[in-house]
């Protein structure tokens, strides 16, 4: 079993940068097309041609700058806005009066909105409001008077850019919240996995040392008492706080980043595993195992977790039903699920005992059995009648196990 770091990157902002890249190219072509269509309106077409050469060269050369927030620096934004403002201010110098009176477009036309939107995506609504203001002033200067259509267009750009900037801020906050939620989920799963492993090994040994020490007496009794204290402390730790298994989210240019540690199969992570060899070691003089003659195939991680849950059930039989209790393991390979039943002939579990045990931090059934099956997308049904033994039915849906095997670690 190997452990590797899994990196999950989330970004609702990245598509906005991609859309802005396409917008800048398309509006550049649109502005040039408007110039060609209204060529007769230009008194100084040479100046306009020179501006469009600069505009096209700048747009194409700076496409990498509008790929993400890191590349889109403040210096680039300032120069980009200056290119747009220069085109607006130059418009009255290169077109005739009829063009202006008719409400004709400025030299950069709607390409200007791309500069403002870059501010919005980079810095939010405040940056958008800052960039919209000089654009509004330049448009009013270009017209010479506050015409209705000019005011309408100015307000439209101002409101739209601020709205987009606000949406970007909300999206970033949502990303951070989602990233933190995923980290907490990953930490919780890791804590539960460790709790199951500890319950199946360390806690069982400490409990045995405590019992044997009390029986032997003397120095062994003191050793047993100390083991009992450590068992209580360890149970409290296991059932308590989260383990910091995933690092704090980062705000990266490509979006929020979540790093979590997960386990992988070094040999063949995708190949199925036969459940029967994993259950075979449980067979003993007082434990009978009945299984199909054909392999019972599950994803390796799912097979290991199911076998560990069976082991936890047998540990409970030995602890609560006694060493002389008999147990039976029945394996059923159904078309859509694998069902393993563990039954014993012990005294059964008194009503309410499981809830009391969980309250005391004894999480054998809650974590070692039900927790494992829950992670597999399955279920663990426990039926116990006082005086008639206990039966635990473990069900693992095959499809759910295949889809969720990466999350079982």
């Amino acid at each position: 079993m190997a452990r590797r770091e899994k990196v999950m990157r989330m970004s609702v902002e990245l598509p906005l940068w991609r859309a802005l890249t396409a917008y800048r190219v398309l509006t550049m072509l649109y502005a040039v097309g408007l110039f060609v269509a209204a060529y007769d309106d230009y008194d100084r077409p040479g100046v306009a041609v020179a501006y469009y050469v600069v505009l096209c060269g700048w747009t194409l050369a700076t496409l990498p700058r509008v790929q993400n927030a890191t590349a889109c620096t403040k210096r680039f934004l300032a120069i980009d806005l200056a290119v747009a403002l220069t085109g607006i201010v130059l418009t009255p110098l290169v077109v005739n009066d009829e063009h202006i009176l008719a409400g004709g477009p400025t030299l950069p036309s709607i390409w200007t909105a791309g500069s403002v939107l870059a501010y919005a995506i980079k810095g939010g609504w405040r940056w958008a409001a800052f960039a919209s203001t000089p654009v509004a002033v330049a448009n009013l200067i270009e017209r010479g008077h506050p015409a209705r259509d000019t005011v309408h267009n100015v307000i439209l750009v101002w409101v739209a850019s601020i709205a987009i900037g606000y949406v970007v801020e909300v999206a970033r906050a949502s990303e951070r919240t989602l990233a933190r939620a995923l980290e907490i989920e990953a930490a919780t799963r890791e804590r539960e996995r460790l709790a199951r492993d500890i319950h199946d090994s360390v806690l069982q040994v400490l409990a045995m040392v405590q019992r044997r020490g009390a029986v032997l007496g003397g120095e062994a009794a003191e050793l047993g008492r100390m083991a009992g204290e450590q068992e209580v402390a360890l149970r409290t730790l296991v059932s308590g706080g989260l383990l910091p298994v995933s690092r704090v989210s980062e705000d990266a240019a490509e979006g929020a980043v979540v790093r979590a540690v997960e386990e992988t199969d070094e040999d063949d992570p995708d190949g199925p595993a036969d459940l029967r060899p994993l259950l075979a070691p449980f067979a003993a003089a007082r434990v009978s195992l009945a299984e199909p003659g054909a392999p019972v195939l599950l994803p390796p991680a799912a097979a290991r977790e199911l076998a560990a849950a069976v082991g936890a059930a047998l540990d409970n039989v030995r602890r609560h039903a006694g060493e002389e209790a008999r147990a039976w393991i029945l394996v059923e390979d159904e078309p859509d699920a694998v069902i393993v039943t563990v039954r014993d002939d012990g005294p059964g579990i008194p009503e309410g005992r499981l809830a009391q045990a969980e309250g005391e931090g004894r999480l054998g059934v809650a974590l070692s059995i039900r927790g494992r099956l829950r992670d597999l997308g399955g279920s663990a049904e426990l039926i116990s009648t006082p005086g008639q033994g206990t039966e635990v039915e473990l069900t693992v849906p095959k499809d759910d196990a295949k889809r969720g095997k990466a999350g079982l670690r």
Side-chain angles (χ1 to χ4, degrees):
M1 182 70 64
R3 296 172 66 81
R4 65 179 176 86
E5 185 180 67
K6 181 179 180 181
V7 179
M8 296 171 285
R9 188 178 300 277
M10 304 169 295
S11 177
V12 297
E13 181 183 331
L14 189 58
L16 294 177
W17 288 111
R18 293 173 179 169
L20 179 61
T21 302
Y23 177 87
R24 288 169 64 87
V25 174
L26 294 176
T27 53
M28 174 197 72
L29 298 175
Y30 178 73
V32 173
L34 288 179
F35 165 69
V36 174
Y39 184 83
D40 294 337
D41 293 345
Y42 288 80
D43 293 335
R44 298 180 179 85
V47 176
V49 170
Y51 175 77
Y52 283 120
V53 169
V54 173
L55 180 68
C56 293
W58 172 258
T59 301
L60 297 177
T62 58
L63 288 180
R65 290 287 187 176
V66 288
Q67 297 294 322
N68 53 63
T70 301
C72 188
T73 61
K74 293 181 180 179
R75 182 179 179 182
F76 161 76
L77 289 174
I79 298 175
D80 196 59
L81 185 61
V83 171
L85 296 176
T86 300
I88 296 173
V89 174
L90 280 178
T91 302
L93 303 178
V94 299
V95 300
N96 54 41
D97 294 338
E98 288 78 9
H99 181 90
I100 296 177
L101 293 175
T106 60
L107 290 179
S109 184
I110 58 176
W111 185 91
T112 305
S115 298
V116 178
L117 292 177
Y119 273 87
I121 300 175
K122 170 72 174 180
W125 70 268
R126 293 176 181 83
W127 286 38
F130 170 80
S132 301
T133 302
V135 171
V137 173
N139 276 280
L140 293 175
I141 293 175
E142 184 266 337
R143 289 302 297 270
H145 61 283
R148 184 175 65 179
D149 58 341
T150 303
V151 174
H152 171 77
N153 292 335
V154 165
I155 293 177
L156 180 62
V157 172
W158 193 71
V159 172
S161 60
I162 290 179
I164 292 176
Y166 178 74
V167 169
V168 169
E169 290 185 0
V170 173
R172 285 172 178 161
S174 300
E175 279 184 352
R176 290 191 293 268
T177 301
L178 178 58
R180 180 55 183 159
L182 291 175
E183 287 179 350
I184 293 174
E185 181 185 10
T188 301
R189 285 182 177 275
E190 180 70 0
R191 178 178 66 82
E192 291 184 353
R193 184 190 68 81
L194 292 176
R196 291 193 296 260
D197 292 344
I198 291 172
H199 177 273
D200 294 344
S201 56
V202 180
L203 291 178
Q204 301 286 358
V205 172
L206 290 175
M208 182 183 70
V209 171
Q210 181 185 17
R211 291 195 303 270
R212 296 294 295 169
V215 172
L216 295 175
E219 294 183 358
E222 177 63 17
L223 181 62
R225 184 189 64 80
M226 295 173 61
E229 293 177 353
Q230 294 302 312
E231 180 194 7
V232 173
L234 187 55
R235 288 187 186 277
T236 302
L237 178 63
V238 166
S239 61
L242 293 173
L243 296 176
V245 297
S246 56
R247 295 199 288 273
V248 178
S249 304
E250 304 169 3
D251 286 326
E254 294 79 7
V257 176
V258 179
R259 292 186 173 91
V261 176
E262 66 173 12
E263 293 179 348
T264 58
D265 298 299
E266 289 183 337
D267 299 329
D268 186 7
D270 297 321
D274 188 359
L275 178 64
R276 298 177 304 166
L278 299 178
L279 298 181
F282 296 132
R286 309 195 70 81
V287 179
S288 300
L289 174 61
E291 58 188 18
V296 181
L297 300 180
L298 283 173
R304 287 193 300 271
E305 290 292 283
L306 181 54
V310 172
L314 292 175
D315 285 337
N316 285 336
V317 172
R318 285 189 289 269
R319 292 186 60 187
H320 303 295
E323 296 291 340
E324 299 302 317
R326 292 189 57 84
W328 295 265
I329 304 173
L330 173 64
V331 181
E332 301 173 84
D333 189 5
E334 301 293 340
D336 57 348
V338 173
I339 303 173
V340 179
T341 304
V342 180
R343 182 171 60 86
D344 66 69
D345 60 357
I349 302 176
E351 185 176 356
R353 176 54 186 155
L354 289 179
Q356 179 184 355
E358 290 186 26
E360 295 172 352
R362 300 178 180 274
L363 305 177
V365 174
L367 288 180
S368 289
I369 300 178
R370 287 177 177 163
R372 281 190 162 97
L373 272 293
R374 182 184 64 246
D375 288 346
L376 292 171
S379 62
E381 298 294 333
L382 190 148
I383 303 173
S384 182
T385 303
Q388 298 183 17
T390 300
E391 180 176 305
V392 180
E393 184 178 282
L394 311 174
T395 304
V396 178
K398 292 182 178 179
D399 291 340
D400 287 351
K402 292 177 182 178
R403 288 195 299 267
K405 65 179 179 177
L408 305 179
R409 323 298 186 191

